[in-house]
Amino acid sequence: YPSYLFANGWKYCGIGEFQAWDTNALASLRRESEIRSATLPHAARWVQPPSDAGWYRSRPEDDDAPFFNHKQPGYKSEYGKFFLEWYSGALKKHAAKVLQKAALAFKGKVALAGK
């Protein structure tokens, strides 16, 4: 993370976890897999986040996180690319909604940005 200044004593905290297991996220992922299955029939099976992506404190090279290991297909596979595309798109849509609601609440009195 660029915001982790190792020179100031910070340590790498881990890869984190996908926040995609709630009912709405799973339904959205399922809808996207159904749409994608029109051109990729096996995409109909892509209805869950990756189960091999480790946990909060995992590192990409750890055995429990092969999804992120550059020596494994993981994020480079068809499924990996599909999931990451859906996940990043879902995050962008969510951020846009949050900023829209914040803009309504602040009525243009402050500048807003998302990161």
Side-chain angles (χ1 to χ4, degrees):
Y1 302 112
S3 60
Y4 281 83
L5 301 174
F6 297 110
N8 291 347
W10 286 88
K11 294 185 174 144
Y12 182 70
C13 61
I15 57 176
E17 288 189 47
F18 290 118
Q19 301 297 310
W21 292 95
D22 67 89
T23 305
N24 292 326
L26 291 172
S28 173
L29 180 58
R30 183 177 299 278
R31 282 191 304 275
E32 189 63 28
S33 73
E34 288 171 1
I35 292 167
R36 191 66 63 91
S37 69
T39 55
L40 288 171
H42 55 279
R45 298 187 311 258
W46 299 341
V47 296
Q48 295 282 319
S51 60
D52 60 350
W55 60 290
Y56 283 104
R57 299 210 185 275
S58 296
R59 295 176 173 269
E61 66 274 7
D62 289 351
D63 289 340
D64 68 344
F67 183 81
F68 291 108
N69 188 314
H70 71 279
K71 295 177 184 174
Q72 301 290 330
Y75 68 91
K76 297 178 282 185
S77 68
E78 274 187 301
Y79 164 73
K81 291 175 185 176
F82 160 79
F83 177 79
L84 291 175
E85 182 181 304
W86 168 81
Y87 190 70
S88 63
L91 291 175
K92 289 176 188 176
K93 287 176 189 173
H94 176 69
K97 288 178 184 178
V98 169
L99 285 172
Q100 184 180 40
K101 297 289 183 183
L104 289 172
F106 289 110
K107 299 178 182 161
K109 295 178 184 174
V110 295
L112 299 171
K115 180 178 177 181

